[in-house]
Amino acid sequence: MPKPARNPFHVIAGTSAGALNAASLATHAHHLRTAVRILENIWKNISSDMVYDLHSANLLAGASGLVLNMLSGKNSDNAVALLNNAPLADLLARVIKFDRIQHNIDIGLLDALSITASAYGSGESVSFYQGIKNIEN
């Protein structure tokens, strides 16, 4: 890949773990080689503790919350999970420069970014979209 290569994609989309790839490509649309190297480094070195807090006290609290939620029989609007994913938020904040996404859209390096998140419990998904003002199909 040539060193000065820019992002060749007009629209970038990613779902779940692929959302990290999409956001990184959108963040570094001005220099595709940098985006690929960052992604290579992340995926080569990622470990479960970079995604979830695996400390036993947090696991116990998460498991207790899940059990209580199931036993109560109430539909809760509060997210309940076995594992605390705060480390993932930290990783994303370090790797993705979110303000660059709109900047790269504004200067014409890409037209849009779409990120889809899925809820395993319900099977529902939500897509978040950011793009140029008058994008066409």
Side-chain angles (χ1 to χ4, degrees), residues 112-128:
L113 170 68
S114 178
I115 301 293
T116 301
S118 300
Y120 295 111
S122 68
E124 295 178 347
S125 61
V126 176
S127 294
F128 301 90

Side-chain angles (χ1 to χ4, degrees), residues 36-118:
V36 171
R37 285 195 170 158
I38 288 170
L39 287 170
E40 178 185 21
N41 186 50
I42 291 168
W43 292 115
K44 190 186 300 185
N45 297 300
I46 199 162
S47 59
S48 57
D49 62 328
M50 295 170 71
V51 178
Y52 297 109
D53 184 351
L54 300 172
H55 293 97
S56 59
N58 293 329
L59 282 171
L60 182 58
S64 298
L66 279 174
V67 169
L68 289 173
N69 191 49
M70 288 188 301
L71 291 176
S72 71
K74 297 178 185 175
N75 288 336
S76 173
D77 289 337
N78 297 330
V80 179
L82 178 61
L83 300 171
N84 175 355
N85 66 353
L88 177 60
D90 295 339
L91 172 66
L92 294 175
R94 283 193 317 274
V95 174
I96 308 299
K97 307 300 182 209
F98 292 99
D99 58 323
R100 285 191 192 168
I101 296 169
Q102 186 61 50
H103 173 75
N104 288 339
I105 291 169
D106 292 342
I107 64 173
L109 292 176
L110 75 149
D111 291 344
L113 170 68
S114 178
I115 301 293
T116 301
S118 300

